[in-house]
Amino acid sequence: MPVVRGLHQGVLLGSLTVEPAGGGSVLRFVVEESHQSVNRPAFFILLLGALGAGTVVLWPLYPPLLSFAPVGVVLALAAWLLVASRLRTSGPEDFMKLVAAIGKQDSPGLES
């Protein structure tokens, strides 16, 4: 099952069991292996954005940084627009919620 958690992305391997439960079923996913890695380009863009934001925040304490403040603002905004605003999370919990929602649509007579 593919997994996305912020800057981490990867695959979870496991077993899925279906058990009957009062007019429906219960799905259980047990994670056996996890292979994840960091999205390095996104990490470095965020790092540059943090450095840019640091110049904007620190220039009142160290006035020579004022000349770098406009570049810092651009770097911070670029990091937000390119990476931070697009971070998402998707894992087994989201898959189970999707399956439950589809199950409710297919059988409107069953209530849980």
Side-chain angles (χ1 to χ4, degrees), residues 57-82:
V57 171
L58 295 176
W59 77 263
L61 303 174
Y62 187 68
L65 288 177
L66 181 59
S67 61
F68 297 107
V71 175
V73 169
V74 170
L75 287 174
L77 287 174
W80 173 258
L81 294 173
L82 291 174

